[in-house]
Structures are given as structure tokens and as C-alpha cells.
């Protein structure tokens, strides 16, 4: 069960839809799991402007650094208010 203690609220910019979305992501999950879930979610929220292909990456929106999908979110330095980008 995910509680407020083990998840963070991040802003994810989706260039394909030219919009940002606020999403809670679990700290203990692998980034690969989060990427799959976020891709699907933003595909639904973007009203057809974005469709997940399986080749997406999540990166830090400010630095452009691509997050390692083989690491847990908690070890990537992602915290409340982090700005990510799905490309």
C-alpha cells in the first residue's frame, strides 16, 4: 500500500502535448516500473496527443539527465517538486 510517506509529487512535462502534469510516484519502485505507469497515464490524460511506444525515457527537466531505469526512484534524487520530462 502506498502512503503519503513513501511517494513524492512531481511535475512531468510532456512535450508531445505541450503540457505538464502533477503525478505522485512511489519512492520504493524501480524507475522502469514508474516509466511504464507514467507513460500509460499521460497517454490517457493527453487526449490522444501522446501515445506510449515503449521507447520513452524520463529525464530531469532542468538538466536533461536521463534517469537510470534500473534504479529505485529513492536513489535517483527525485523529491517533492522535482520537474521531470517524458520524451
Amino acid at each position: 500500500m502506498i502512503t503519503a510517506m513513501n511517494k513524492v509529487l512531481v511535475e512531468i512535462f510532456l512535450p508531445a502535448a505541450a503540457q505538464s502534469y502533477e503525478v505522485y510516484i512511489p519512492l520504493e519502485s524501480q524507475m522502469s516500473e514508474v516509466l511504464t505507469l507514467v507513460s500509460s497515464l499521460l497517454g490517457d490524460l493527453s487526449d490522444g496527443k501522446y501515445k506510449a511506444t515503449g521507447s520513452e525515457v524520463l529525464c530531469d527537466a532542468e538538466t536533461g539527465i536521463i534517469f537510470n531505469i534500473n534504479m529505485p526512484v529513492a536513489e535517483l534524487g527525485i523529491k517533492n517538486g522535482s520537474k521531470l520530462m517524458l520524451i
Side-chain angles (χ1 to χ4, degrees):
M1 179 176 184
I2 298 174
T3 65
M5 298 294 286
N6 58 5
K7 61 184 177 179
V8 292
L9 180 63
V10 299
E11 180 181 318
I12 302 178
F13 178 63
L14 183 62
Q19 289 186 304
S20 291
Y21 303 90
E22 289 187 340
V23 179
Y24 280 102
I25 58 174
L27 286 169
E28 70 280 352
S29 293
Q30 291 290 109
M31 181 52 86
S32 58
E33 297 169 357
V34 171
L35 178 58
T36 301
L37 294 171
V38 165
S39 297
S40 178
L41 173 65
L42 296 189
D44 292 344
L45 293 175
S46 69
D47 295 326
K49 294 176 185 167
Y50 167 77
K51 180 160 176 33
T53 64
S55 62
E56 301 80 19
V57 295
L58 267 173
C59 63
D60 183 292
E62 295 171 1
T63 65
I65 294 172
I66 297 172
F67 292 111
N68 182 340
I69 62 168
N70 299 312
M71 293 179 66
V73 172
E75 292 181 19
L76 293 169
I78 297 171
K79 58 188 184 304
N80 278 321
S82 289
K83 295 179 187 299
L84 313 180
M85 182 166 42
L86 180 67
I87 51 176

